Amino acid sequence: NVIKAGMRKINVCYSKISIEDVCARLKLDSPQDAEFVIAKSIRDGVIDAVLNHEGGYVSSNEFFDSYATVEPSNAFHNRIAFCLNIYNDAVCAMRFPDKQDDLENAKAHRERLKEEQELAQTLADEDDDEDDDGF
């Protein structure tokens, strides 16, 4: 795992590196061991490179820059459009009460408070009458 991580870093850092340099950087015993590790890494998909046995070097394949295309901006546009649609649907779904309903509710609330106050006053008067009769 450590050697694979080292191979990944080497592959990212160097577009072309000799097998001897890979051997030195990974601190392997021989260039043949380095060649075996490189071949295994390529086969396992750890790195995307080409091993040149005759030239004695490893050449990394070109890195594809996905940000150079319009694909990221299209994905971003789709996400923004989705969020705006949710927002617009939420605003349309909101119901605001009519002003007439607010006035009627306020009147009913005032009447209910007035009735409660009258009832409380009546109960307080009855309690006072009972206290006076007891003494």
Side-chain angles (χ1 to χ4, degrees):
N1 288 338
V2 174
I3 293 177
K4 286 181 180 181
M7 280 304 306
R8 259 189 242 110
K9 287 184 179 183
I10 290 172
N11 186 47
V12 169
C13 293
Y14 297 97
S15 62
K16 185 176 180 181
I17 186 170
S18 69
I19 294 174
E20 290 83 18
D21 287 341
V22 172
C23 179
R25 296 206 188 286
L26 294 178
K27 302 199 185 324
L28 298 173
D29 295 333
S30 68
Q32 289 79 19
D33 289 342
E35 193 171 341
F36 173 75
V37 168
I38 294 167
K40 187 169 183 337
S41 297
I42 292 171
R43 188 189 68 202
D44 292 344
V46 174
I47 61 172
D48 187 21
V50 176
L51 180 61
N52 187 334
H53 298 283
E54 294 81 27
Y57 64 88
V58 178
S59 177
S60 299
N61 292 335
E62 292 294 322
F63 177 70
F64 177 69
D65 185 16
S66 64
Y67 292 104
T69 64
V70 295
E71 188 174 327
S73 66
N74 288 340
F76 185 66
H77 173 73
N78 290 338
R79 289 177 183 169
I80 294 296
F82 176 75
C83 291
L84 288 174
N85 285 336
I86 288 177
Y87 171 78
N88 290 334
D89 291 345
V91 168
C92 289
M94 285 185 191
R95 292 186 179 172
F96 296 101
D98 294 334
K99 289 187 178 185
Q100 185 64 27
D101 290 341
D102 285 344
L103 292 175
E104 290 174 7
N105 288 339
K107 287 180 184 177
H109 183 67
R110 272 188 248 122
E111 289 175 8
R112 201 170 336 114
L113 283 176
K114 188 176 181 182
E115 289 174 4
E116 288 175 3
Q117 288 175 350
E118 289 175 358
L119 181 62
Q121 184 65 32
T122 305
L123 290 175
D125 289 343
E126 288 178 3
D127 285 344
D128 288 340
D129 290 341
E130 288 178 8
D131 289 339
D132 290 342
D133 292 340
F135 289 113

